[in-house]
Amino acid sequence: MSDINAIGLHESSASQLAEKLNELLANYQIFYMNVRGYHWNVKGPQFFELHAKFEEFYTDLLTKVDEVAERILTLGHRPVHAYSDYTQLSRIVEEKNVHDGEACVRGVLKGYQTLIELQREILSLASDADDEGTAAQAGDYIREQEKTVWMLNAYLG
């Protein structure tokens, strides 16, 4: 029996990557719901600006949720899909009743920083496994989100 999966990776590496990607998926799902909540509940003088920006963020996060889940499937594994699993696996915690604009922006900033940290771990694992597909996905997400972190920090002063 071969240790090589359908896309040419060692199954042990694919399994380790899928586990880490499921952790990433959980973080994306919790972060998505947090940002959705910021969008719905933000108040204050920057309401119109932040309401629109949060919608932009959560729309992108939802796209990435699907992409991460599909990468797990491509590796030959199953994405977790229960919120009970998400809350257990996520480093990002649920935020409730956040409505102050600056607090919402700080929550978004912290969420992206957490995603970047986790994606760097995945990038390292993927590089070690010669998994260009996962590495490219993680690298693209990191590049994009680093710019967002810079902009959020600039917004906060």
Side-chain angles (χ1 to χ4, degrees), residues 6-155:
I7 60 170
L9 298 176
H10 289 280
E11 182 48 44
S12 58
S13 296
S15 180
Q16 186 179 20
L17 281 160
E19 184 178 325
K20 202 64 156 171
L21 284 165
N22 266 315
E23 184 182 343
L24 181 63
L25 179 62
N27 280 273
Y28 267 106
Q29 286 282 35
I30 298 296
F31 187 39
Y32 165 80
M33 287 307 300
N34 285 349
V35 176
R36 194 79 196 230
Y38 303 150
H39 169 77
W40 290 330
N41 296 302
V42 67
K43 292 181 175 24
Q46 296 92 11
F47 169 80
F48 290 106
E49 173 186 2
L50 292 177
H51 183 75
K53 184 51 93 174
F54 295 151
E55 183 173 4
E56 178 185 320
F57 288 152
Y58 78 66
T59 300
D60 179 65
L61 292 167
L62 189 56
T63 298
K64 286 179 173 56
V65 162
D66 194 53
E67 291 172 351
V68 170
E70 288 176 351
R71 187 65 198 166
I72 294 165
L73 290 163
T74 300
L75 290 169
H77 293 268
R78 290 186 182 207
V80 294
H81 61 277
Y83 268 89
S84 57
D85 291 331
Y86 298 150
T87 57
Q88 284 184 322
L89 292 171
S90 183
R91 298 176 191 179
I92 298 172
V93 297
E94 287 180 317
E95 292 205 9
K96 299 178 183 177
N97 302 317
V98 179
H99 54 83
D100 173 72
E102 185 174 323
C104 292
V105 172
R106 289 190 188 287
V108 171
L109 176 61
K110 185 176 177 187
Y112 277 120
Q113 289 169 328
T114 301
L115 290 176
I116 290 168
E117 176 185 326
L118 184 52
Q119 289 162 164
R120 284 191 179 125
E121 293 170 18
I122 290 167
L123 181 61
S124 178
L125 284 173
S127 295
D128 291 345
D130 292 326
D131 178 2
E132 178 60 30
T134 302
Q137 184 179 38
D140 288 348
Y141 290 179
I142 290 166
R143 177 189 41 78
E144 184 182 307
Q145 292 164 0
E146 285 174 338
K147 184 174 180 181
T148 301
V149 165
W150 161 65
M151 291 179 169
L152 290 168
N153 274 314
Y155 180 87

